Amino acid sequence: EFIKQATTQLNSNKQITILDFGSGKSYLTFSTYYYLTEVLNMNVKIIGIDLKKEVIEHCNNIAKKLNFTNLSFIYGDVIDYENKDEIDMVINLGLFLSGRTAKVLDEIALLKQETADKVLKVIIETCYLNDDQKCLASQICVDAGADFVKTSTGFGTGGATLADVQLIKEVV
């Protein structure tokens, strides 16, 4: 359901690239690829990235056997992937909502440090947060060095609102 809803927001006239950082054995990656390409008939390219070489080789072999031509796996970390000048990152809501805000700040700061030459845009998914949480999340983004704070991916229960934009603007 979530994936199907999310695809309504995407431009189906061009290929969509999805990166799966920390893909591991890639059960979800394979399922997502199949669902998007075979069930929804979308033009997608999925790249799984992980630090376990044996897993990468195994997953590439499976993708080849399944003839999943636009599914590949590479060894490395987020810092090893070179693609574009801008990075959109969704804040780790699980950590944030459980009160582990220092860890959220560390994740954003590390990504910014490792990709310093790129523009980092952090999405806080305002539809899941109250006003105090929106302010705190925005401040964490600023403190971590994010270049932009964005309200929403458009995949949650609600999109950007004027009130959210004004609230974030007060913080950043």
Side-chain angles (χ1 to χ4, degrees), residues 57-71:
E57 183 178 340
H58 180 70
C59 290
N60 276 321
N61 288 336
I62 292 172
K64 186 176 181 177
K65 286 179 186 176
L66 295 172
N67 200 29
F68 287 179
T69 56
N70 284 330
L71 176 61

Side-chain angles (χ1 to χ4, degrees), residues 80-97:
D80 300 323
Y81 187 78
E82 296 286 331
N83 188 39
K84 60 182 188 169
D85 295 327
E86 295 183 356
I87 298 170
D88 285 352
M89 170 191 185
V90 179
I91 195 170
N92 187 325
L93 283 171
L95 288 178
F96 182 81
L97 293 172

Side-chain angles (χ1 to χ4, degrees), residues 58-136:
H58 180 70
C59 290
N60 276 321
N61 288 336
I62 292 172
K64 186 176 181 177
K65 286 179 186 176
L66 295 172
N67 200 29
F68 287 179
T69 56
N70 284 330
L71 176 61
S72 62
F73 299 88
I74 59 174
Y75 172 78
D77 202 344
V78 63
I79 62 173
D80 300 323
Y81 187 78
E82 296 286 331
N83 188 39
K84 60 182 188 169
D85 295 327
E86 295 183 356
I87 298 170
D88 285 352
M89 170 191 185
V90 179
I91 195 170
N92 187 325
L93 283 171
L95 288 178
F96 182 81
L97 293 172
S98 69
R100 298 179 60 200
T101 56
K103 178 70 174 157
V104 173
L105 187 141
D106 290 346
E107 285 184 351
I108 299 167
L110 178 62
L111 183 59
K112 182 59 183 176
Q113 176 187 338
E114 298 296 337
T115 59
D117 60 329
K118 312 270 188 231
V119 173
L120 177 60
K121 300 179 283 181
V122 181
I123 304 163
I124 63 173
E125 290 294 17
T126 54
C127 62
Y128 299 113
L129 307 176
N130 64 38
D131 286 352
D132 289 339
Q133 292 170 324
K134 293 170 192 175
C135 290
L136 178 58

Side-chain angles (χ1 to χ4, degrees), residues 149-161:
V149 178
K150 295 175 68 175
T151 58
S152 166
T153 60
F155 302 142
T157 58
T161 67

